[in-house]
Amino acid sequence: MGERTRLYFDDVKEGDEVPAFVVKNLTRTDLVRYAGASGDFNPIHHDQTFAEGANLPGVFAHGMLNAGFVGKCVTDYVGVQNLRQFKVRFATRVWPGDTITCKGTVTKKYDADGSHLIEGNVQAINQKGEVAIHGSFKAALPIR
């Protein structure tokens, strides 16, 4: 794991890309680990028979697990201490075996109330190009 470079307000431009964070081949084990960490043991996320009984092809990832992947993408970019707002909406399910790519774009850069702010859009996309999550963020960045 490499050292993260600190992001400064002066170095950001509207239109800059938020570097991608990729989760390859999400596994059922990942879902069970998340269930244990979060305390969300809804069987729809780990019990194949239960999922099929709900007319689904199988278990699927917790929405908040996927939101966490998007959040990591954002905080890897701006630094967790600089994040001021993070919103997501779930668009489709993520299944075991999916590869999820989280990425975004800086849409606005401005000063307000003594803070140096950026805003952006983020999304998580599966290997088929389907958007699983879309959202937005706001961060207050330091200046040099």
Side-chain angles (χ1 to χ4, degrees):
M1 181 180 287
E3 183 175 323
R4 183 162 45 98
T5 304
R6 185 175 184 150
L7 184 66
Y8 290 95
F9 183 76
D10 316 288
D11 299 330
V12 177
K13 300 182 306 289
E14 292 179 6
D16 280 357
E17 292 186 13
V18 176
F21 172 71
V22 179
V23 177
K24 293 182 179 179
N25 190 25
L26 188 70
T27 67
R28 288 173 186 257
T29 302
D30 294 328
L31 305 187
V32 172
R33 285 181 179 151
Y34 181 78
S38 69
D40 180 352
F41 288 100
N42 184 329
I44 203 81
H45 300 298
H46 63 82
D47 185 326
Q48 182 70 25
T49 303
F50 184 90
E52 289 173 354
N55 294 320
L56 295 167
V59 299
F60 60 91
H62 304 70
M64 292 306 291
L65 172 60
N66 303 321
F69 296 148
V70 177
K72 178 169 175 34
C73 175
V74 172
T75 57
D76 281 355
Y77 181 57
V78 302
V80 69
Q81 71 279 8
N82 298 323
L83 187 62
R84 297 296 180 264
Q85 185 178 68
F86 177 60
K87 297 179 180 179
V88 295
R89 290 187 63 102
F90 305 119
T92 193
R93 294 181 181 113
V94 173
W95 307 93
D98 279 355
T99 292
I100 301 299
T101 302
C102 305
K103 59 185 181 179
T105 304
V106 175
T107 58
K108 188 175 181 181
K109 177 181 177 182
Y110 59 102
D111 291 317
D113 300 324
S115 294
H116 311 288
L117 302 169
I118 63 168
E119 294 181 11
N121 295 323
V122 288
Q123 54 185 202
I125 302 169
N126 68 17
Q127 70 282 358
K128 298 175 191 168
E130 300 167 333
V131 176
I133 291 181
H134 55 89
S136 61
F137 69 92
K138 180 189 293 185
L141 298 178
I143 58 173
R144 293 178 194 262

